[in-house]
Amino acid sequence: MARKGLRLVLIIITIMILLPGCSGQSDSAQKPAQPESQRAETPTEFKKIISETEKIILLTEQKWRNRQPSMLSQSMPVQQKEGNLAEQSGKQQQSGKQSPEDGQDQGEQNKQHGQQEQEEKGSDMQDSWEQETKSLMSIHENWTTLQVKAMQAGMSNTTKSFFDEALDRLTAEINAQNDEESLLAAIDLYGQFTEIARLFQAELPPSFYDTKYQVMLVAALGQMGEWETAQTQTISMQEEWDTLKKQADRAEKSTVNCSEIAIQDLARAVNNNSRELVIIKGEIAVKEMTKLQEELSSKKMTRQQS
């Protein structure tokens, strides 16, 4: 009886020893997150991807606005056009005071100028997506290089997959020259930056990218009249801002307060279902976020130098 009891104890001990090795979890999977001080510096490729994505957002947003009947979205182009017409009229009046011999030359110049404008307009129509395509190519090229560095820094397959899917979507929409969907796709790509930023030494708190993503998304949805979705998204926007505000201790209090007020104003504009207000408040919110970004980055560099 004693021998059977001894055998049972040995069997139990053996099982307990073998269980950790059979759990299917590697040592590396249980390692704690790498301290920020030991992470690699933020790669230049990542910064370029951010810059090019922001360019696409600005370009596609302007394209979309130009197609809208809103007087607010068309005000600047109209003013510029009126200014150009006034300038041309002034030149024509001055030329009218010149000698009659110059009249024929002036008429020929006007004709050539008109032909040149038509050619330029035709060229602009044909190449209207040239800048977006150029920025897109730059994103693809830099993502190829960044992937290697990000994987070395511990990027998960899920993060890579989400980024690939967002970039594929943006590529398809720019290829289709769909300004509205290209804008939303570019904003979606921006929303993937947070997880990439966590892999490297942060010039900005990773929550900055989440907050700016939410601001741009809310503004875009509001301008497009997607009020129910935009209003739901304002909750996430304000939650992300609350997280960022706690991490933005390096910035001046006045800069943080301006960003907070701008975000609150944007949320109010969306809740009022006012496209004109959303355009104004959205632009202000993005500008204030940019100011906050510049301040946080400069304070980070100052700390590193000291």
Side-chain angles (χ1 to χ4, degrees):
M1 192 74 181
R3 288 183 179 178
K4 288 184 178 180
L6 181 59
R7 286 180 183 176
L8 182 60
V9 170
L10 290 174
I11 290 171
I12 293 172
I13 293 174
T14 304
I15 292 172
M16 291 178 66
I17 293 172
L18 292 175
L19 271 176
C22 299
S23 63
Q25 295 182 350
S26 63
D27 292 339
S28 59
Q30 298 181 7
K31 285 183 179 179
Q34 194 176 30
E36 184 178 344
S37 59
Q38 298 179 13
R39 298 175 197 165
E41 293 184 3
T42 303
T44 56
E45 292 85 1
F46 184 44
K47 297 176 183 178
K48 289 178 182 176
I49 289 174
I50 295 172
S51 176
E52 297 296 350
T53 303
E54 289 175 337
K55 283 182 186 177
I56 293 175
I57 291 171
L58 289 172
L59 289 166
T60 53
E61 183 178 44
Q62 190 58 54
K63 277 185 171 60
W64 182 84
R65 284 188 188 178
N66 288 341
R67 292 194 299 105
Q68 307 311 306
S70 170
M71 291 180 64
L72 182 61
S73 65
Q74 297 293 336
S75 60
M76 283 302 294
V78 169
Q79 289 172 0
Q80 290 171 356
K81 184 177 181 181
E82 288 177 348
N84 291 337
L85 288 173
E87 184 180 353
Q88 290 175 5
S89 176
K91 288 181 179 179
Q92 287 174 357
Q93 289 176 1
Q94 289 180 356
S95 65
K97 296 178 182 179
Q98 295 174 356
S99 62
E101 293 83 5
D102 295 332
Q104 186 175 357
D105 292 339
Q106 184 66 41
E108 186 64 28
Q109 288 177 5
N110 289 339
K111 183 179 178 181
Q112 292 176 355
H113 182 66
Q115 290 175 345
Q116 183 179 354
E117 282 187 338
Q118 288 181 351
E119 290 174 0
E120 288 175 353
K121 286 180 181 178
S123 177
D124 289 341
M125 289 292 289
Q126 183 178 0
D127 300 331
S128 60
W129 287 80
E130 182 179 355
Q131 294 182 64
E132 289 90 337
T133 302
K134 183 177 179 182
S135 292
L136 182 65
M137 283 297 299
S138 177
I139 293 172
H140 276 281
E141 290 172 358
N142 284 287
W143 174 233
T144 300
T145 307
L146 177 60
Q147 282 184 74
V148 178
K149 298 178 180 180
M151 291 173 73
Q152 290 173 346
M155 178 177 67
S156 69
N157 289 331
T158 302
T159 298
K160 179 183 181 304
S161 177
F162 283 159
F163 195 100
D164 283 335
E165 288 174 8
L167 184 54
D168 289 349
R169 178 191 170 197
L170 178 60
T171 303
E173 298 301 343
I174 288 180
N175 185 59
Q177 298 189 357
N178 186 328
D179 49 34
E180 180 176 319
E181 292 301 324
S182 292
L183 171 59
L184 293 174
I187 293 173
D188 183 41
L189 182 63
Y190 194 98
Q192 311 305 316
F193 293 162
T194 299
E195 295 305 316
I196 303 294
R198 294 186 197 280
L199 301 171
F200 305 101
Q201 288 187 18
E203 291 185 2
L204 298 168
S207 57
F208 174 87
Y209 299 103
D210 271 336
T211 305
K212 190 173 180 181
Y213 158 71
Q214 294 288 349
V215 167
M216 293 188 294
L217 182 58
V218 167
L221 291 171
Q223 290 177 57
M224 294 172 186
E226 299 289 340
W227 297 118
E228 186 175 348
T229 309
Q231 288 163 7
T232 302
Q233 206 67 41
T234 58
I235 299 172
S236 299
M237 177 180 71
Q238 290 173 318
E239 288 175 350
E240 291 296 345
W241 167 249
D242 288 339
T243 301
L244 174 60
K245 183 170 63 172
K246 295 173 185 176
Q247 300 173 349
D249 56 333
R250 299 198 307 267
E252 296 292 334
K253 189 174 181 180
S254 59
T255 306
V256 176
N257 289 342
C258 285
S259 296
E260 183 166 42
I261 290 171
I263 288 172
Q264 291 171 349
D265 284 350
L266 174 58
R268 181 174 57 84
V270 170
N271 289 330
N272 288 338
N273 292 9
S274 171
R275 289 191 181 188
E276 286 71 20
L277 269 178
V278 168
I279 290 172
I280 295 171
K281 299 303 184 182
E283 287 186 358
I284 292 173
V286 171
K287 285 179 182 178
E288 291 301 328
M289 289 296 294
T290 301
K291 290 179 185 177
L292 180 61
Q293 176 181 357
E294 291 172 352
E295 192 164 316
L296 289 171
S297 296
S298 64
K299 293 289 178 66
K300 175 73 174 181
M301 291 182 67
T302 302
R303 281 190 176 186
Q304 288 176 341
Q305 291 172 357
S306 61

